[in-house]
Amino acid sequence: METNTLKLQGMSCASCARSVEDAIRSVPGVAEVSVNFGAEQASIQYDAKRTNLGQIQQAIVDAGYASRSLQDSKFITDESETEKTARLREFRHLRNKVIVAGTIGAVLVIGSLPMMLGLPLPFIPMWLHNPWLQLIVSTPILLWAGREFFINAWKALKRHTATMDTLVALGTGSAYLYSIIATFFPNFFIAQGLNPDVYYEPANVIIALILLGRLFEMRARGQTSEAIRSLIGLQARDARIVRNGQELEVPIQDVQIGDVVIVRPGEKIPVDGEIVEGSSQVDESMVTGESVSTKKQPGDEVIGATINKTGSFRFRATRIGKDTVLAQIVQLVQQAQGSKAPIQRLADQVTGWFVPVVMAIAITTFVIWFTIMGNVTLAIVTTIGVLIIACPCALGLATPTSVMVGTGKGAENGILIKGAESLELAHQIKTIVLDKTGTLTQGKPTVTDFLTTVGSANELKLLQLAASVERNSEHPLAEAVVRYAQVQEVTLKDAQNFEAIAGSGVQGIVSNRLIQIGTQRWLQELGIQTQPLQSDKGRLESLGKTVVLIAVDAELQGLMAISDALKPSSVQAVRSLQRLGLEVVMLTGDNQQTADAIAQEVGISNVIAEVRPEQKAAVIADLQSGKLGHSTTQTKSRQQTRSKIVAMVGDGINDAPALAQADVGIAIGTGTDVAIAASDITLISGDLQSIVTAIQLSRATIRNIRQNLFFAFVYNMIGIPIAAGVLFPIFGWLLNPIIAGGAMAFSSVSVLTNALRLRNFRPKAIL
């Protein structure tokens, strides 16, 4: 299976999005497709053996739309210069249409005031309401400014579908044709006892108002993608490289893996790499959110788009183009903005039958007014009003625009949200599970105590054996042991038959001696007596230190106490999460005594300790089902019935299964790639306060979506009956089609404007 994201062109409403989705889904081999009207994107998963991207794009063309792949380029780009020029040209063309159609429409309205008010207005010349004059000035507007409505309606008809353009074309076309008949055959109406009134001005003004709404919509959509453009704008444009002994300044696109890049003070780092010469302070706030610069020296990694502050250095390029950290962040945000939240399903279902139902209501309205009331004028006016005021666009924009802005704000705050479902689920979290090492703690443990049973004369020999085995492990505790040995200036030896037992320890052979280092439980399972150092072990664990035991040839000979300092933000973050009403749980492989000491320090009362990596996912499942914890809220998520929505926060490889099992997996960005890949949300900086921000952002986004959906539904539920003349028997007035057109344009703009309020989101301090 392959996935791709397409940028779509030509959609005018949510019904168009559904048409594109149906067209893509009809291609054999397409497994999943999600078309986002607000983002104008299609996320597609397909079987590459059965179809290809070209066939999918051809299906989109056959449906009457156009597309381009966001993954075609080797480098991260928002829009090419050609596309930017085309978009700007489209905006100006639309603006010109609004100005011309609006001006002529205003003149026609002024000329029609005597008819609309039923009063003679001496200051308005009668020739302004001359039907022939109105026909002459309105026809070019209808054919030029309203041309796309009729073309798109015809395309939809050929596909046996109906869209918003269909409603507009029917409404304005009906008003125009009725007016032509009244202009050419006025005596026919007079004979029926009716005034031969014309409605050229509603047709013109409606087109002007709808185009004005689309102009605002186009501008607002551009603002929803501001986060993407800001991220892309962070990358450097040029790089200074060393090639064949010469310094060259080349575009960033020409940098190759392995190139040596020179960076001077104040310059942006062009691509990701590893420093080979020099040192400096680098501002990595773009990625980490930390305002304090980071010291960089040979061997350290640097990230493209971060800023070199003081010194100059050279680094070797290791990741370029779409493989850089910045590019991956951009891709994650694009994917999230193009995804659909579960809350959008209702709007999608409504949109599917919306236009046909509106057309049926319009026909019914005409029949009632014409047949029962015998009034063709009222029949025409009410029918046009129903067709014009109905707006599936507001429903289609309600969710995706809020999701786009919400995920963009997340990226600005160092929170990468992989999809709209994760963003929505985050506001439902009832229990949040925190890993200890690297999550609550800094993940940089140090050895504080080293006790042996072999006497001080053999202490360094035991340290040599232990560190020689541990240097083959990537575990933070192993790194602490190796660092301690290096400080003691111990020379390490090679270890044979090294083996890491997940959640238990490591073992290997050094100098023909079997070295086993790990937990008390594991050594006891191996039949090794652990009593000699039991009292020391208990004393050190009561201080919150992790204790590992060292056995040589199946005999306990020592222990090490390792301490990992809490992150400065951990205590406040836990307190904030609890005050948000969440149940906070600490999950760790450490023994119960050490875990309790750390938990007490950060204020967590619910501790699950001595859990092996393979057991962590099962613990999460138990929390979800209600076997652990106290929540009884019933919620459906990921096709399973949960007792509660559970989030897991972790950073290590051993956390990956639990992150995947959790309803919302939150990875610390400073952790491993595996953990990040298994998660739904990534905290780039590793600051736990970002969890609080993510939950607050999720709640603000869902609240915004609900406001949008409420407005969109209520607007149509009230607007359509009023346009149909329901209030006429009571108040004796009808909704002018011009007002209906303005209301329709306003509905979409108001939804977009409300969604854009999320750009003002700021995380609130919880004291």
Side-chain angles (χ1 to χ4, degrees), residues 279-299:
S279 62
S280 182
Q281 294 284 337
V282 177
D283 178 3
E284 294 185 328
S285 57
M286 177 276 294
V287 172
T288 65
E290 299 290 340
S291 57
V292 180
S293 298
T294 307
K295 174 72 174 177
K296 296 290 183 179
Q297 54 194 10

Side-chain angles (χ1 to χ4, degrees), residues 490-523:
V490 172
T491 302
L492 303 186
K493 296 184 176 183
D494 293 332
Q496 286 80 41
N497 301 330
F498 172 81
E499 183 181 3
I501 294 85
S504 298
V506 295
Q507 64 182 12
I509 297 175
V510 181
S511 300
N512 294 320
R513 307 194 73 177
L514 175 62
I515 314 300
Q516 294 166 312
I517 310 165
T519 64
Q520 179 180 15
R521 181 184 58 196
W522 180 52
L523 294 187

Side-chain angles (χ1 to χ4, degrees), residues 478-645:
E479 294 176 3
V481 174
V482 174
R483 282 196 303 272
Y484 181 73
Q486 290 171 341
V487 170
Q488 303 299 322
E489 298 182 350
V490 172
T491 302
L492 303 186
K493 296 184 176 183
D494 293 332
Q496 286 80 41
N497 301 330
F498 172 81
E499 183 181 3
I501 294 85
S504 298
V506 295
Q507 64 182 12
I509 297 175
V510 181
S511 300
N512 294 320
R513 307 194 73 177
L514 175 62
I515 314 300
Q516 294 166 312
I517 310 165
T519 64
Q520 179 180 15
R521 181 184 58 196
W522 180 52
L523 294 187
Q524 288 175 342
E525 289 174 357
L526 296 173
I528 299 173
Q529 293 295 322
T530 61
Q531 290 302 316
L533 295 171
Q534 191 64 39
S535 60
D536 292 311
K537 176 178 177 292
R539 175 179 57 82
L540 293 169
E541 287 177 343
S542 67
L543 299 175
K545 299 179 181 182
T546 299
V547 177
V548 294
L549 303 179
I550 306 169
V552 179
D553 294 330
E555 179 186 349
L556 181 68
Q557 292 194 2
L559 64 75
M560 284 185 178
I562 302 172
S563 178
D564 188 4
L566 287 172
K567 290 179 179 178
S569 61
S570 293
V571 175
Q572 179 58 45
V574 168
R575 186 181 297 120
S576 298
L577 290 170
Q578 291 169 338
R579 290 183 177 176
L580 283 174
L582 303 180
E583 175 190 17
V584 182
V585 178
M586 188 176 83
L587 179 64
T588 179
D590 260 342
N591 65 80
Q592 191 70 49
Q593 195 170 4
T594 301
D596 287 340
I598 295 293
Q600 185 176 4
E601 195 172 346
V602 294
I604 297 176
S605 58
N606 196 341
V607 181
I608 304 174
E610 300 181 23
V611 179
R612 293 181 176 178
E614 67 272 15
Q615 298 172 328
K616 286 187 175 182
V619 170
I620 298 297
D622 287 343
L623 286 168
Q624 290 169 326
S625 64
K627 294 179 182 178
L628 296 173
H630 310 288
S631 176
T632 57
T633 303
Q634 295 296 319
T635 311
K636 276 195 172 181
S637 171
R638 295 181 180 177
Q639 291 79 48
Q640 298 181 43
T641 300
R642 309 285 201 204
S643 291
K644 53 190 172 185
I645 301 298

Side-chain angles (χ1 to χ4, degrees), residues 332-464:
L332 278 173
V333 176
Q334 285 178 332
Q335 288 175 352
Q337 291 189 340
S339 61
K340 282 186 180 181
I343 198 173
Q344 190 176 343
R345 292 171 188 152
L346 176 61
D348 287 345
Q349 292 171 354
V350 171
T351 302
W353 50 258
F354 186 89
V355 174
V357 167
V358 169
M359 293 175 67
I361 293 173
I363 293 171
T364 304
T365 300
F366 181 86
V367 170
I368 291 174
W369 282 104
F370 182 70
T371 305
I372 299 177
M373 304 296 293
N375 193 324
V376 69
T377 301
L378 291 179
I380 291 291
V381 170
T382 52
T383 301
I384 294 171
V386 170
L387 291 170
I388 296 301
I389 203 169
C391 183
C393 299
L395 286 171
L397 291 168
T399 299
T401 48
S402 297
V403 168
M404 288 174 70
V405 179
T407 51
K409 288 301 295 184
E412 288 178 19
N413 286 275
I415 303 165
L416 297 183
I417 302 167
K418 289 187 178 179
E421 182 178 2
S422 304
L423 181 64
E424 180 177 337
L425 276 175
H427 93 285
Q428 298 175 304
I429 294 172
K430 299 298 180 184
T431 299
I432 188 156
V433 181
L434 303 176
D435 175 50
K436 181 179 78 68
T437 304
T439 301
L440 286 168
T441 64
Q442 294 181 4
K444 297 178 181 178
T446 55
V447 175
T448 59
D449 302 87
F450 179 37
L451 305 177
T452 72
T453 61
V454 294
S456 58
N458 295 310
E459 187 175 290
L460 292 181
K461 179 63 176 177
L462 180 62
L463 178 59
Q464 181 188 53

